[in-house]
Each structure stands twice: as C-alpha cells, then as structure tokens.
C-alpha cells in the first residue's frame, strides 16, 4: 500500500516537473491527499458552468468554489474563492465571477476551471503544514489557522516525520492549546484526527524531499474529526547538495586524538613575541602539556628550546594535531603536507577565509582535507583548551581550572567572555572550544565527543547557526539522557519567511523553528550569554529533582513574592502545603510569620530558625526542591547563613538525601562572598537577584524532564 501511494505521487510530481511548474493545482493536491489519507472534502473540477452546476448538485447543499490555475497561488487575493454557494443560479453566477476575477488578476494565467468543493461544517480552524528549513530540513508545523494565522503566529514546529505521540504533543505546544480542549461549554476537537493530519503531512514531505512546502489551511477540526478545506503543495526550485556525514565511531576516533593528543605540531611556530605562532607555542609549553610539541618553521632550527622542522612531513613519529599559525594564503600548501603525513586533525587559527569573502579559498582547503581524510577545525578560530590534558592550543589567555563544564563558541569574542566568566566564578572546565567558520568540525562533532567524555558533566554552546541541524539533533538526543546541553542561539530574525509561498512558509522564521526543535531535542535554550554561562555552572552542582514540589523558605515577604513569580515563570510548581506539614513549619516561625508556601520566617529570626526550617524541608519526602530567600541582618549575618545552609545540605547528602537547593541573598556586599561559599558547596546561590537562582533550578528541571528522569 505504501509503495502504491509513493508510486502514484511520484508520477504526479514528475509530470508537474515536466511542465516546468513548482506549484500544484488544487485537484493535483487532492490526488496527493487521497494517496496519503489526508482527509479532504468531496470535490470536482468544473471546466464550464454546466459542469459546475452538476458537481454542486451531486455534492448537495452549499459548496465552496475556487479558481484552479497553476499560475495563481493565492486564490483569495485574486478574488478566486466563493463560499456557501447554493442553487444552480448562484453556482452559475459564482463560476462566471471567479473566472472574470482571475483574468483581471492575471491576464496571462492558465485557467483549468473551477473547483467545486463540499462546504465543511463550522469548527475550529487550524493549520497543518510543512516547510524545508535550511538548517533542519523537513519540518512540520501546526497552529491556529484561518485568516488570522499570520497575525497570531501561534504555531509550533517539529522535525519530520513525526510519530503519532509527537503529533499529539504539538496540539499542547501552542499558546491556544486550551481552545482545542474545549472552552466555555464547547466540546473539544478530535485530537487524534488532527494529529493524524499532522503525521501524514510529515510523512509525505519525508518521502518526497523535492516538496518544499505543504499547506493545509484551514483544517476544520470538530469533535467528530478533522478535514482540510484547502491543500497547497509547492516543489523546490532545485535540490540542496548533501553534506558529507561521518559515523559516530569515526567522529569519536578523530575527536579523541584532537582532545587527547599525544603529539602536536605547530605550523608557523615562532620565536618572535607578539606572533600567534609564538603565543601558541608558549601556551602549550607553559600549560604543562605532557605530550610531544613539534614547532614547524622552514626558517628556524630551534624555537623556544625545541628542534624546529622545515615541514610537518619531517616530524618524526605520529602526530595527532597540526595547529596552523600561518597566513591564509599559505594554508592550502601546508595542508597538503599534513595530509601526506596522515595527521587526522588540523586546527586553523588564521582568518582570511569565508568570513572575509574568500569563499573559494575555504572551499579549496575543505577539498584538500576531505581528499586526505583530515578533519578541519576552523578556520578563523582562537583554538581550544583541553584542561584535563593540560592542553592550551590557543593564542589567548591560558586557563587551567579543571572541572566538568565544556564550553564552546562560534565567536572569538564570546570565547574570551566565557574564559573570563570561568575565571571570575572559579568554574572548572573540561574544555573551551572556538569553532570559528565551521568549515568541517562543528557542534554535532563536539556534542558526540562531550557526550562520551567522562570529564564532562554539562555542555554549553554559543552558536550563530547550525550547518546540519538534523545531525545536531541526533547528537543532542544521544547526549541529553546522560548530561545537560545548554545552547545560546544568536540571531532571532525571521529572514527565512520572506520568500515563502505558503502560510506555513511565512510562519517558519529562523528563530521559531530553532526554538521548537531545540526543545524537541531536549536542549536547554538560554536567553542570553550570562544565562548560558550560569546554567553551565549551576547544573552540575544541583542534584536531579525527584518530583515537582518546590517550597520557598524566606526571611523576607517581598523576596517570597518575587521568588514565587520566578517559580511560575520557569514552569515550576509551588507545592500545596498539606496541614501536617504546615503545622510542622509553624512550630519554628513566630506568630507574625506565615506558613503556607512561601514559608515566611520573617527577617529578625536567629540562625536556628533558618536551620530548623531548612532541615524540615530536606527531611520531608514530599518536598522535592528548596528555594531559599535570605536578607542580611545582624541577627543572622551572611556568613553564618551560608555556613549553616551548606552544613545542613552536606549532612543530608551524606545520609543519601539529595535535593536541589537554590538561594537568593539580599544585603550588603558580604552576601557576594556568602554566595560563592554556598556555590562551592553544592547550593546554587546568587546575590541581589530572585530570578537567577530559580532560573537555574528551572533549567535543571527542564533537563531532568528531557532526560526522562522526572
């Protein structure tokens, strides 16, 4: 059956291509809909007035009439649609009017006739469609439909094809999801019928890559089903060249030699201070890299006390990585030598390639690398740090604080912001990587590696684009169940919508698609650079929550209100405190305090009240996470609060009770040191803000849900 439908649609699309068209007519769309089981109303094509009258009589009741022309894409704009036409006289009049309007709209348009279609019952109008995204390929869309679709833009996206469960999840992912469930006494729509329309459209575009866009708008959803009133199909102008893909084993093998090398050659090494080749050499040597370091420079015999070689081909033994610090115009020839030496990785620091308009030069080095089996890192990169190997292969400031956070950036400036943040906050990193132009190695290669790297507990990535969105999603889905992935996606434009030929295409702006599909992959999207860095620092510190019940304990009522807002904003659930737990909290707070949630112990309480209530929050198994609000008093100074909180949390962890605890500290400058003290001891704490600690907790919850741990 599946083969028959594919064969039927293939024959139709080939015929359309032969005619030099990219837009299918409505009757051709009906053929595709029938082949894929996409529910559409009864209809007929009328070449003249008499055929239109006969078709309307067969369908019975009022009908919809639409112009059929391969040259008129937007029928309503051309005055080519009449709704609710009934009776022979009105059908004749509508037929003539539609033809006349179409000819006035485009005198050269080919007109095949008028489609006469059964008028669907009233229901909720939704849109189901698919587009070809330049990053992610085939993407299916769902949202509220009808004439307001491009105004409301309440649409969600998924990679195609989608499973039945993924299709159903799309109904709950739009802002207006409640309408579909039924409001103000109205029955909800048939969710499975709508989901089937989504699933079948997604399968259609997955089966036929040449289909650029599909639009079912509107789909009339009722309690008894879902039917597409209109189907629009547009073919791509040309095919997109496929990118070379590597297997998981190939990626891991190459990345292992890049991130854990035994031998590094520096092409363009120099004795002259101020040269990039000198800075790279000094960082490798001063950073304590224990492997072999081979300077390559045809004009020197010795560089920084090490024997220099005229070419990498002269270096003895195997070399894992060649770091380039030479001008762009010399890279191609030197890369040929790297290929002859069978070095698997080349780190290209030089600029002067695609980022400056030298696309041909970048294409040339990619061709050389592919021919020799070299993976290219860059060009236009600041290099990379692999701290557990004491490897600093960069011309930038060294960094050697080992830890579990892997940080990557597409920009050198962002990379240095990452490094400065890590140093200021004493964040231990497993790697800092600058991807530059991403001529070859990119985020999916790094994700694949960091997902398996035992030193990495959390991955945070700044990116401006993805070369292969599907490869990234595949790598993310394999990584997220093991460790969090945080992404800062720069650029929130809708440039991709400008040349769209359908409603779905117009809605598929770059950021809208990125947002939904990154969420589908389980990635935590950070709204800004500082957020990305703070999530990366906090997530490895926080234990994984085992339930949704969040309790706020605060010494200030105002902080409690703001913390409550932050909990809601981050999709978390404030626990409804049961009577026995409420009574237990009241034993420790003054009469003018407030139990409930937040638990307000008031500001003048001694350290013992903070300790008692925190203990209660950790002891009760119904509470799954604690948010602490502290404000600076002489009764309980910041250092005292930090020490008692860290001590109690550590005590419970030793007993096997681990819950995420975050804290907001308000007060004089001493709270800054108190926050650092807490952070270093497993409590995520921030001064002068109620938003940041709860945002970090929310990020941990989002990861736990995506990883299937909650």
């Amino acid at each position: 059956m599946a083969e028959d439908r594919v064969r039927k649609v293939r024959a139709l699309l080939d015929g359309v291509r032969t005619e030099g068209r990219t837009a299918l007519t409505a009757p051709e769309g009906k053929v595709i809909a029938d082949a894929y089981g996409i529910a559409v109303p009864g209809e007929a094509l009328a070449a003249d007035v008499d055929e239109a009258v006969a078709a309307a009589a067969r369908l019975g009741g009022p009908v919809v009439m639409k112009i059929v022309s391969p040259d008129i894409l937007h029928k309503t704009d051309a005055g080519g649609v009449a709704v609710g036409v009934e009776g022979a006289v009105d059908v004749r009049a509508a037929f003539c009017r539609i033809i006349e309007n179409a000819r006035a709209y485009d005198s050269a348009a080919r007109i095949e006739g008028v489609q006469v279609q059964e008028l669907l019952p009233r229901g909720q109008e939704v849109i189901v469609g698919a587009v070809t995204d330049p990053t992610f390929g085939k993407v299916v869309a769902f949202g509220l439909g009808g004439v307001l679709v491009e105004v409301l833009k309440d649409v969600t996206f998924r990679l195609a094809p989608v499973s039945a469960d993924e299709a159903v999840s799309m109904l709950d992912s739009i802002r207006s999801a409640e309408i579909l469930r039924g409001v103000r006494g109205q029955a909800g729509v048939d969710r499975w019928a709508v989901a089937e329309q989504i699933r079948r459209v997604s399968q259609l575009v997955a089966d036929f890559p040449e289909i650029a866009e599909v639009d079912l708008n509107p789909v009339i959803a009722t309690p008894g089903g879902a039917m597409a009133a209109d189907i629009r199909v547009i073919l791509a102008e040309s095919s997109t060249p496929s990118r070379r893909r590597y297997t998981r084993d190939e990626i891991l093998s190459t990345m292992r030699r890049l991130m854990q090398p035994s031998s590094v050659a520096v092409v363009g090494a120099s004795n002259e201070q101020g040269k990039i080749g000198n800075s790279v050499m000094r960082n490798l040597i001063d950073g304590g890299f224990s492997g072999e370091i081979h300077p390559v420079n045809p004009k020197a015999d010795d560089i920084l006390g090490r024997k220099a070689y005229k070419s990498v081909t002269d270096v003895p033994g195997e070399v894992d990585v060649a770091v380039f610090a030479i001008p762009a115009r010399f890279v191609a020839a030197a890369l040929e030598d790297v290929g002859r030496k069978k070095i698997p990785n080349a780190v290209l620091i030089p600029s002067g390639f695609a980022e400056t308009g030298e696309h041909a030069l970048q294409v040339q080095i990619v061709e050389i690398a592919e021919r020799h089996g070299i993976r290219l890192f860059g060009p236009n990169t600041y290099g990379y740090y692999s701290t557990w190997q004491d490897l600093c292969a960069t011309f930038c400031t060294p960094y050697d604080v080992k830890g579990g956070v892997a940080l990557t950036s597409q920009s050198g400036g962002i990379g240095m912001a990452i490094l400065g943040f890590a140093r200021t906050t004493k964040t231990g990193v497993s790697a800092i990587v600058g991807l530059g132009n991403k001529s070859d190695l990119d985020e999916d290669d790094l994700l694949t590696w960091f997902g398996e790297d035992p030193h990495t507990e959390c991955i945070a990535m700044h990116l401006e684009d993805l070369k292969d969105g599907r490869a990234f999603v595949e790598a993310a889905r394999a990584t997220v169940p093991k460790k969090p992935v945080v992404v800062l996606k720069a650029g929130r434009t809708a440039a991709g919508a400008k040349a769209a030929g359908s409603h779905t295409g117009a809605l598929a702006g770059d950021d809208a698609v990125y947002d939904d599909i990154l969420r589908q992959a389980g990635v935590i999207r950070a709204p800004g650079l500082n957020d990305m860095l703070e999530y990366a620092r906090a997530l490895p510190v926080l234990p994984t929550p085992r339930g949704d019940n969040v309790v706020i304990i605060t010494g200030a009522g105002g902080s409690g209100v703001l913390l409550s807002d932050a909990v809601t904003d981050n999709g978390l659930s404030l626990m409804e405190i049961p009577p026995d737990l409420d009574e237990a909290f009241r034993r420790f707070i003054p009469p003018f305090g407030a139990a409930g949630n937040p638990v307000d112990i008031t500001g003048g309480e001694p350290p013992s009240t903070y300790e008692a209530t925190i203990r209660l929050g950790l002891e009760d198994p119904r509470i799954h996470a604690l948010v602490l609000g502290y404000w600076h008093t002489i009764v309980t100074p910041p250092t005292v609060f930090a020490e008692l909180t860290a001590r109690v949390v550590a005590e419970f962890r030793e007993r096997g009770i681990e819950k995420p605890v975050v804290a907001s500290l308000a007060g004089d400058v001493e709270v800054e040191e108190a926050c650092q003290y807490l952070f270093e001891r497993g409590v995520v704490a921030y001064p002068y803000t109620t938003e940041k600690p709860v945002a970090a907790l929310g990020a941990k919850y989002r990861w736990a849900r995506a990883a299937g741990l909650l």
Side-chain angles (χ1 to χ4, degrees):
M1 186 67 177
E3 291 180 0
D4 289 342
R5 76 182 184 191
V6 169
R7 190 160 44 246
K8 183 180 293 186
V9 174
R10 167 59 57 214
L12 173 64
L13 297 184
D14 288 347
V16 172
R17 282 288 196 205
T18 299
E19 294 178 19
R21 291 191 283 126
T22 56
L24 275 64
T25 64
E28 290 167 338
K30 175 72 162 58
V31 171
I32 289 178
D34 290 344
Y36 272 77
I38 297 168
V40 293
E43 61 182 50
L45 175 63
D48 56 38
V49 169
D50 291 335
E51 288 185 5
V53 171
R58 284 195 307 273
L59 292 171
V63 296
V64 179
M65 300 175 67
K66 306 173 186 177
I67 191 68
V68 177
S69 168
D71 302 314
I72 299 177
L73 204 56
H74 298 286
K75 297 182 283 291
T76 301
D77 294 347
V81 178
V83 180
V85 184
E86 189 169 12
V89 173
D90 287 348
V91 169
R92 288 178 183 277
F95 184 96
C96 295
R97 186 171 63 254
I98 287 171
I99 296 294
E100 183 179 334
N101 289 344
R103 285 178 174 152
Y105 180 78
D106 184 352
S107 60
R110 293 165 289 173
I111 296 176
E112 297 179 0
V114 172
Q115 181 187 41
V116 182
Q117 186 183 76
E118 174 188 0
L119 180 64
L120 294 176
R122 296 173 71 92
Q124 177 60 52
E125 293 188 354
V126 298
I127 182 171
V128 175
V131 294
T132 306
D133 184 80
T135 298
F136 297 102
K138 301 305 178 188
V139 172
V140 66
F142 168 77
L144 289 190
V147 295
L148 293 178
V149 61
E150 289 178 36
V151 177
L152 298 177
K153 297 182 179 178
D154 190 5
V155 181
T156 188
F157 300 89
R158 300 288 188 277
L159 291 180
V162 295
S163 67
D165 288 342
E166 285 177 319
V168 171
S169 78
M170 295 180 74
L171 275 64
D172 294 321
S173 297
I174 61 173
R175 296 188 302 275
S176 307
E178 197 65 29
I179 293 175
L180 305 178
R181 301 187 190 102
V183 294
R184 303 187 69 176
Q186 294 184 347
V189 304
D190 185 338
R191 294 169 61 82
W192 282 103
V194 176
E196 269 301 282
Q197 296 282 62
I198 297 171
R199 188 187 66 79
R200 291 171 188 270
V201 167
S202 79
Q203 190 60 57
L204 168 65
V205 295
D207 288 345
F208 294 95
E210 66 265 47
I211 295 179
E213 298 178 28
V214 174
D215 219 14
L216 307 186
N217 185 41
V219 173
I220 307 301
T222 67
M227 192 167 289
D230 192 25
I231 177 170
R232 179 178 298 160
V233 180
I234 300 171
L235 304 184
E237 297 282 353
S238 59
S239 60
T240 303
S242 58
R243 173 201 176 205
R244 179 171 179 177
R245 300 286 294 272
Y246 295 89
T247 68
R248 183 176 180 81
D249 287 344
E250 287 173 334
I251 293 170
L252 289 173
S253 175
T254 304
M255 290 297 300
R256 184 172 292 107
R257 294 185 69 179
L258 177 71
M259 303 304 293
Q260 299 175 348
S262 298
S263 176
V264 176
V266 179
V267 180
S270 173
N271 278 314
E272 185 179 342
Q273 288 194 12
K275 295 278 190 179
I276 289 178
N278 178 265
S279 299
V280 173
M281 282 293 297
R282 294 192 67 85
N283 274 341
L284 286 169
I285 295 169
D286 297 344
F289 177 59
S290 61
E292 296 177 351
I293 304 170
H294 300 292
V296 176
N297 188 322
K299 298 179 180 178
D301 297 320
D302 177 281
I303 294 177
L304 300 182
R306 295 170 185 260
K307 176 178 171 57
Y309 297 91
K310 306 298 182 188
S311 164
V312 290
T313 57
D314 300 328
V315 175
E318 288 190 347
V319 177
D320 297 302
V321 183
V323 180
F324 279 58
I326 56 177
R329 65 184 182 276
F330 300 127
V331 168
L335 197 58
E336 293 279 8
D337 289 340
V338 167
R340 283 188 281 272
K341 180 65 177 173
K342 299 190 182 305
I343 300 173
N345 297 288
V347 178
L348 305 183
I349 290 176
S351 56
F353 291 88
E355 83 285 355
T356 61
E358 296 291 340
H359 297 280
L361 188 55
Q362 187 159 309
V363 169
Q364 180 187 11
I365 63 170
V366 170
E367 184 277 325
I368 294 170
E370 287 191 353
R371 177 158 38 86
H372 288 289
I374 305 166
R375 297 303 306 272
L376 291 184
F377 192 162
N380 187 32
T381 173
Y382 57 83
Y384 70 110
Y385 306 76
S386 186
T387 59
W388 290 93
Q389 308 302 312
D390 296 318
L391 177 69
C392 183
T394 171
F395 62 94
C396 301
T397 306
Y399 190 74
D400 59 1
V401 181
K402 299 177 177 66
V405 179
L407 298 157
T408 79
S409 71
Q410 196 168 337
S411 155
I414 300 300
M416 291 307 97
I418 286 171
L419 192 146
F421 174 89
R423 190 179 304 283
T424 297
T425 58
K426 303 177 184 177
T427 299
V429 304
S430 60
I432 301 175
V433 179
L435 282 165
N437 291 5
K438 299 194 295 191
S439 65
D440 178 18
L441 280 165
D442 62 7
E443 287 87 359
D444 50 88
D445 296 293
L446 294 178
L447 261 187
T448 301
W449 167 253
F450 290 132
E452 299 298 326
D453 177 26
H455 296 301
T456 299
E457 300 172 46
C458 178
I459 305 137
M461 296 180 151
H462 156 265
L463 57 92
E464 294 169 5
D465 59 11
L466 289 170
K467 288 192 310 179
D468 188 337
R470 285 185 172 255
F472 179 84
V473 168
E474 182 181 333
R477 283 174 167 166
T479 302
V480 165
K482 296 177 284 189
K483 54 193 75 172
V485 178
V486 181
V487 164
L488 171 61
K489 166 63 174 67
R492 296 195 175 107
T493 66
K498 291 180 181 176
S502 70
H503 293 289
T504 305
L507 292 165
D510 296 343
D511 194 62
V513 176
Y514 263 98
D515 202 49
D516 279 345
I517 292 179
L518 290 178
R519 188 181 300 111
Q520 183 186 3
V523 167
I524 299 164
R525 186 170 180 185
L529 176 58
N530 186 257
D531 303 279
M532 180 192 84
L533 296 171
E534 292 292 3
Y535 291 172
R537 179 166 74 120
L539 290 174
V541 171
L542 290 171
T544 302
R546 298 182 181 179
D548 293 325
N549 289 334
V550 178
V551 169
I552 299 171
I553 299 172
T554 178
S559 293
V561 174
L562 291 175
L563 289 168
S564 298
D565 289 342
V567 165
T568 301
D569 291 344
N570 283 277
L572 303 176
S573 301
L574 276 176
M575 179 185 182
E576 289 190 19
I577 305 293
D580 64 309
L581 184 55
D582 184 74
E583 184 181 344
F585 273 119
R586 286 184 183 278
R587 295 193 198 108
F588 302 112
I589 60 179
F592 49 86
N597 195 5
V599 179
D600 183 1
I601 67 173
T602 76
E605 287 302 293
S608 59
T609 305
Y610 277 105
E611 179 167 346
T613 50
I614 293 170
R615 281 186 179 277
L616 181 54
L618 292 173
E619 281 173 351
D620 195 298
R622 294 168 293 183
I623 298 174
H624 303 121
L626 289 180
V627 177
L628 308 180
Y630 164 85
W631 68 295
H632 189 162
T633 67
I634 297 175
V635 178
T636 304
T639 303
V640 173
F641 170 78
E643 289 175 349
L644 77 85
T645 302
R647 173 171 48 79
V648 172
V649 169
E651 176 189 320
F652 275 85
R653 286 182 180 171
E654 287 177 7
R655 290 164 49 186
I657 299 174
E658 291 193 290
K659 300 179 184 181
V661 180
V662 301
S664 165
L665 279 67
D668 212 331
V669 293
E670 293 96 322
V671 297
E672 296 176 18
E673 186 177 341
C675 285
Q676 185 65 38
Y677 181 91
L678 284 166
F679 227 116
E680 292 170 356
R681 288 158 180 81
V683 176
V684 170
Y686 293 97
Y688 322 128
T689 172
T690 52
E691 295 81 18
K692 278 189 176 182
V694 183
L697 181 63
K700 188 71 176 190
Y701 265 91
R702 292 201 298 279
W703 170 71
R705 292 190 181 104
L709 301 174
L710 188 62

